[in-house]
Amino acid sequence: MGASDFAKLPHIGEAVRRKEDYRFLTGAGQYTDDITQANQTYAVFVRSPHAHATIKSIDLTRARAMPGVVEIFTGKDIDGKMGGLPCGWLITSTDGTPMKEPPHPILAIGKARYVGDQVAMVIAETLEQAKNAAEAVDVDYDMHDAVVDMRTAALGPALHEAAPDNHCYKWAIGDKGAVDAAFVNAAHVTKLDLINNRLVPNAMEPRAAIGMYNRATEEYTLYVANQNPHVERLLMTAFVLGLPEHKVRVIAPDVGGGFGSKIFLYAEDVALTWAAKQINRSIKWTCERSESFLTDAHGRDHISHAEMAMDKDGKFLAMRVHTHANLGAYLSTFSTAVPTILYATLLAGQYKTPQVYVEVDAWFTNTAPVDAYRGAGRPEATYLLERLVSRCGWELGIGQDEIRKRNFIDSWPYQTPVALQYDVGDYLGCMNKAQELAEVAGFEQRKAASAAKGLLRGIGYSSYIEACGIAPSNIAGALGARAGLFECGEVRVHPTGSVTIFTGSHSHGQGHETTFAQVVAARLGLSVDAVDVVHGDTGRVPFGMGTYGSRSISVGGAAIMKALDKIETKAKKIAAHLMEASDADVEFANGEFTVKGTDKKVTFGQVALTAYVPHNYPLDKLEPGLNETAFYDPTNFTFPAGTYICEVEVDPATGFTRVDKFSAVDDFGTIINPMIVEGQVHGGIVQGIGQALLENCVYDQETGQLLTGSFMDYAMPRADDFPEFKIGTICTPCTHNPLGTKGCGEAGAIGSPPAVINAVLDALKPLGVTEFDMPASPGRVWEAIQSAKA
């Protein structure tokens, strides 16, 4: 079945109410911390209070004597007994050498490298007893200078022996010679320096894990708040613990948000799994919010310089970019791919810029590891590019919309100068619809009304593109990926005609239990309620790669579609037997099998029952049962795109910025459930505006202490920070997956930050403010105004 036929099926495009919401709204969800095992103990981690220090000694005497203590482990207990946490993507430097890949121990061995680095694990009968004993662990540290600013990291003390200058890699993409030549002949060059501020993910549910061991079967079980349990198991067994994979079961039950921060294999997960065997008891650990601030993988943190060369009419000739990327103290699971493969390859954007050259220097610092956070490289690329494009327009006296329209790609497929090939799109269509939704024609009137109140009004544009469903595996492998990027789907039809789907994708807020059910119900002519979805358990679900990069429907859904193709093929043979016809003459639609040119028909339910009650059944030709599995490895990325338009009002007396209007038009290809898509876009926009106006993770430059370690210091967005969003879509179906879908989970967080900051700068232009970095907090905006006045 092609994507165009699929889009016409019942249930596709319907705003079906989410099936999973009833259990969440009634408190029936089961998260990791809700689970209690028999004879369970509790773990607390002793963490370094210093950003960079040698561990001279650890005295456990007082702690071991505390009531309820079961065991305490330190780095000495695991040294030589297991590997460190692996990095899942190898980057090769421009000189042909592999990136520096220092060890990442489960518990610190000899040295602590950031505030929050785990130094010891205390296990006790109760959580309170574990906390009390942890406070009694006496660690003697020899402190060193902290490396915090990546621009001067090469001059600081080395974090790792493997990287004496704290440099991990220098990576580049594009034709530098061609770019430099284009700049020589440019009529105008626009330059921009900017910082993409570090963020703390702050998922609603903190990380949690329960490690278990069965001595009789020599099997381990790990309950964990994670986005991809199969990958967690693979990394832990193959690279760290050296265990047979079939002896480890990883279960990710209900997960309360992730935004990328729960993709990764964390030290705590491994420590609990290993220690459960050592004490032969279950161990639970639940991260406290203060620990989350310190130890969850952070996001963003780029410092970049960008230049655009143009002709006299504002047509783009070439772009060059240099970025410093902060990796933190250790390499996280996919950290190295974020500022390279997922960032630089998107810097062509929606524009037909003939040449692009990007260089990236990645650095180790005494801060928490940095990895994928909602968008993962795509928001960083879009922020840089869209800020630069608006600046190009302002410098040439061309409107933000017009500079984009002059440079939009207008034919597909389109090969960018930075490796990617876009299959399809309609960027001008997105722009035009966004301008209609935003009522751009009335902007000057609204601006005058704001001025009458003593406020400054500005408008900002952002035309983003992202690459979703990272693929294909063979090309990703050639680029350094150390894992496959396929997905698996199993369709199990029961005798009564109901269906259970087993998917390697994982839902932690996306609504898979509804959208996947809609796909199956549409194909088989069932009600959505007749389809159940199972995920998150390596003991029940075939090997899959989990959820990240807006891949679930386009990759996981495509795997289910391939399994459904097999189901339909076999079901037609059974139906042909029942109707005494050739299976070549059998057609299937709306839950019924018919024979061409006759009035014969049987229902899907009749076929399902026959498959499991094979009386008078050609067993020599057909196996009983109706159960199929398929794997899907995409041939290309999918490329959602859109235009976002933001209007803000700025109070010049206080610097306070209010988002007054926000309009977003996205091209997600075929949409399965518009209500869920709208919710995803809303959530992404909120996170993007949060970064643009409020959120900022800050470390002390001298000590490496986290200064924004709680919600008292780290400003999270609230409902009254936002207007009502105007959301629209257009549809150019993806050309290479059977659903025509593209992915929608990250778009809002990608497109919104530059739209907001461009709007703020547009408002401040009359005062002479030309640039500043996120977040546009009242203090920062007020200081920028005062500096411009001076």
Side-chain angles (χ1 to χ4, degrees):
M1 176 177 287
S4 59
D5 292 330
F6 171 76
K8 299 172 185 176
L9 292 176
H11 303 305
I12 303 306
E14 292 182 8
V16 177
R17 188 171 295 178
R18 291 185 5 147
K19 296 174 66 177
E20 50 270 70
D21 281 352
Y22 179 81
R23 75 171 187 273
F24 293 141
L25 292 172
T26 57
Q30 188 178 57
Y31 301 89
T32 299
D33 191 58
D34 293 326
I35 299 167
T36 300
Q37 301 296 332
N39 205 25
Q40 177 178 283
T41 61
Y42 295 82
V44 168
F45 287 87
V46 178
R47 301 188 181 277
S48 172
H50 307 296
H52 198 188
T54 297
I55 301 171
K56 297 172 66 177
S57 65
I58 303 177
D59 187 349
L60 304 177
T61 307
R62 283 197 309 129
R64 288 191 184 280
M66 298 287 284
V69 171
V70 176
E71 185 56 277
I72 303 176
F73 296 106
T74 68
K76 288 184 178 180
D77 297 306
I78 56 99
D79 193 10
K81 297 179 181 177
M82 65 180 74
L85 298 182
C87 179
W89 205 293
L90 173 66
I91 295 298
T92 301
S93 289
T94 52
D95 62 3
T97 60
M99 66 187 188
K100 307 296 192 305
E101 198 167 359
H104 187 174
I106 305 308
L107 296 171
I109 299 173
K111 199 176 189 183
R113 293 179 172 86
Y114 68 100
V115 176
D117 207 353
Q118 51 277 352
V119 174
M121 177 173 62
V122 178
I123 304 168
E125 298 290 350
T126 69
L127 179 58
E128 183 179 3
Q129 289 171 334
K131 287 183 176 182
N132 291 338
E135 292 180 1
V137 174
D138 187 9
V139 186
D140 187 10
Y141 296 97
D142 183 12
M143 293 172 57
H144 309 301
D145 290 340
V147 177
V148 178
D149 189 338
M150 56 186 145
R151 291 167 292 191
T152 58
L155 305 176
L159 274 73
H160 304 278
E161 291 182 8
D165 58 356
N166 295 316
H167 190 237
C168 183
Y169 58 77
K170 177 185 282 291
W171 181 87
I173 191 171
D175 187 336
K176 186 177 187 300
V179 167
D180 290 344
F183 270 82
V184 170
N185 298 315
H188 184 83
V189 174
T190 293
K191 300 180 180 181
L192 182 64
D193 292 289
L194 50 77
I195 295 174
N196 201 300
N197 46 321
R198 180 184 279 238
L199 301 175
V200 179
N202 282 316
M204 187 178 296
E205 177 207 21
R207 289 189 292 122
I210 303 172
M212 302 164 58
Y213 180 70
N214 185 322
R215 185 165 288 178
T217 61
E218 298 183 328
E219 292 177 334
Y220 299 79
T221 301
L222 175 68
Y223 285 89
V224 62
N226 185 267
Q227 297 176 216
N228 44 1
H230 275 289
V231 175
E232 170 114 350
R233 182 178 72 167
L234 174 63
L235 295 175
M236 185 164 58
T237 55
F239 296 97
V240 187
L241 295 178
L243 297 171
E245 197 170 359
H246 69 286
K247 289 292 186 182
V248 179
R249 181 181 181 185
V250 175
I251 303 171
D254 289 327
V255 174
F259 312 119
S261 69
K262 292 174 183 170
I263 294 172
F264 323 119
L265 177 63
Y266 284 95
E268 294 89 352
D269 306 346
V270 178
L272 265 68
T273 304
W274 174 80
K277 179 180 179 180
Q278 309 308 308
I279 68 169
N280 196 33
R281 291 178 64 182
S282 301
I283 312 168
K284 177 189 279 190
W285 169 76
T286 300
C287 191
E288 295 190 347
R289 185 60 65 179
S290 58
E291 284 184 289
S292 294
F293 272 94
L294 289 172
T295 65
D296 286 4
H298 292 172
R300 317 292 189 246
D301 207 352
H302 285 189
I303 300 173
S304 299
H305 174 77
E307 300 180 0
M308 183 74 82
M310 293 167 281
D311 68 13
K312 61 181 178 59
D313 297 317
K315 295 287 186 67
F316 300 156
L317 303 177
M319 182 174 70
R320 56 190 175 200
V321 176
H322 181 270
T323 292
H324 291 288
N326 195 342
L327 298 175
Y330 300 100
L331 298 182
S332 181
T333 307
F334 293 112
S335 60
T336 52
V338 173
T340 52
I341 307 301
L342 300 179
Y343 163 70
T345 57
L346 270 298
L347 281 169
Q350 297 187 12
Y351 312 109
K352 44 191 176 187
T353 311
Q355 298 292 340
V356 177
Y357 179 73
V358 186
E359 257 184 14
V360 178
D361 282 291
W363 302 93
F364 294 110
T365 64
N366 293 116
T367 62
V370 179
D371 209 318
Y373 172 68
R374 198 169 191 171
R378 284 73 56 86
E380 294 92 318
T382 300
Y383 182 69
L384 181 147
L385 180 60
E386 291 305 294
R387 286 284 309 280
L388 182 63
V389 169
S390 285
R391 171 61 50 201
C392 290
W394 288 330
E395 290 185 0
L396 293 178
I398 302 172
Q400 292 183 70
D401 56 344
E402 180 58 28
I403 190 75
R404 288 170 168 81
K405 291 177 181 179
R406 289 186 189 184
N407 289 282
F408 275 156
I409 296 164
D410 52 13
S411 64
W412 292 266
Y414 180 82
Q415 179 63 52
T416 75
V418 279
L420 300 181
Q421 185 180 79
Y422 306 157
D423 62 329
V424 69
D426 182 4
Y427 308 150
L428 183 60
C430 280
M431 170 67 80
N432 291 339
K433 188 167 182 177
Q435 289 187 300
E436 291 175 15
L437 271 183
E439 301 172 293
V440 170
F443 171 71
E444 291 300 329
Q445 184 178 354
R446 294 190 293 274
K447 185 174 182 178
S450 296
K453 299 184 291 184
L455 303 175
L456 303 169
R457 179 176 285 266
I459 189 168
Y461 284 75
S462 171
S463 295
Y464 78 91
I465 190 168
E466 60 166 324
C468 298
I470 305 172
S473 292
N474 57 350
I475 293 178
L479 295 173
R482 289 166 165 168
L485 296 167
F486 56 85
E487 196 48 81
C488 176
E490 178 186 347
V491 178
R492 186 178 299 174
V493 180
H494 303 293
T496 56
S498 62
V499 177
T500 300
I501 302 301
F502 298 85
T503 174
S505 298
H506 185 276
S507 180
H508 39 280
Q510 293 88 345
H512 294 172
E513 294 175 37
T514 304
T515 50
F516 285 173
Q518 285 180 253
V519 169
V520 175
R523 280 290 304 270
L524 300 182
L526 306 174
S527 73
V528 174
D529 290 335
V531 183
D532 283 337
V533 177
V534 176
H535 61 91
D537 185 346
T538 64
R540 299 183 65 191
V541 174
F543 192 100
M545 298 306 296
T547 294
Y548 49 85
S550 300
R551 72 190 299 269
S552 292
I553 193 63
S554 298
V555 186
I560 292 170
M561 284 285 282
K562 289 187 69 175
L564 286 167
D565 289 341
K566 295 180 181 181
I567 290 287
E568 183 174 326
T569 297
K570 183 174 181 180
K572 282 182 176 179
K573 293 178 179 179
I574 299 172
H577 165 70
L578 291 174
M579 294 185 289
E580 299 179 335
S582 168
D583 58 292
D585 294 327
V586 174
E587 296 178 334
F588 179 61
N590 300 318
E592 290 186 338
F593 297 88
T594 57
V595 179
K596 296 176 188 176
T598 75
D599 59 357
K600 291 182 178 181
K601 65 180 180 180
V602 294
T603 66
F604 181 78
Q606 289 175 278
V607 169
L609 184 62
T610 302
Y612 290 96
V613 186
H615 299 164
N616 190 26
Y617 189 88
L619 293 172
D620 57 327
K621 297 178 182 178
L622 280 175
E623 294 180 352
L626 200 52
N627 186 4
E628 298 288 351
T629 300
F631 288 81
Y632 175 73
D633 199 324
T635 57
N636 193 5
F637 292 91
T638 63
F639 297 100
T643 288
Y644 291 1
I645 301 175
C646 176
E647 285 186 36
V648 300
E649 280 188 329
V650 179
D651 185 343
T654 64
F656 178 75
T657 299
R658 183 179 70 88
V659 177
D660 184 58
K661 291 170 65 70
F662 198 101
S663 303
V665 173
D666 299 281
D667 178 2
F668 295 136
T670 303
I671 290 177
I672 309 298
N673 187 316
M675 179 186 68
I676 288 177
V677 167
E678 185 171 325
Q680 288 287 314
V681 173
H682 277 209
I685 292 172
V686 165
Q687 283 185 280
I689 294 176
Q691 177 179 13
L693 296 183
L694 298 162
E695 299 181 51
N696 197 25
C697 178
V698 180
Y699 283 89
D700 183 272
Q701 293 293 303
E702 294 185 4
T703 65
Q705 293 292 329
L706 180 62
L707 302 179
T708 51
S710 75
F711 291 135
M712 295 292 288
D713 310 295
Y714 187 93
M716 292 287 284
R718 301 175 300 183
D720 60 357
D721 291 315
F722 308 105
E724 181 179 353
F725 302 138
K726 290 187 176 181
I727 305 297
T729 60
I730 68 169
C731 179
T732 61
C734 174
T735 61
H736 55 79
N737 75 52
L739 301 94
T741 53
K742 296 183 180 182
C744 69
E746 296 164 298
I750 293 169
S752 54
V756 174
I757 297 299
N758 284 336
V760 174
L761 289 169
D762 185 60
L764 297 180
K765 274 193 302 178
L767 302 183
V769 176
T770 57
E771 288 299 334
F772 61 83
D773 291 305
M774 296 186 288
S777 59
R780 282 173 174 245
V781 173
W782 186 86
E783 288 176 0
I785 293 171
Q786 304 314 307
S787 296
K789 286 180 179 179

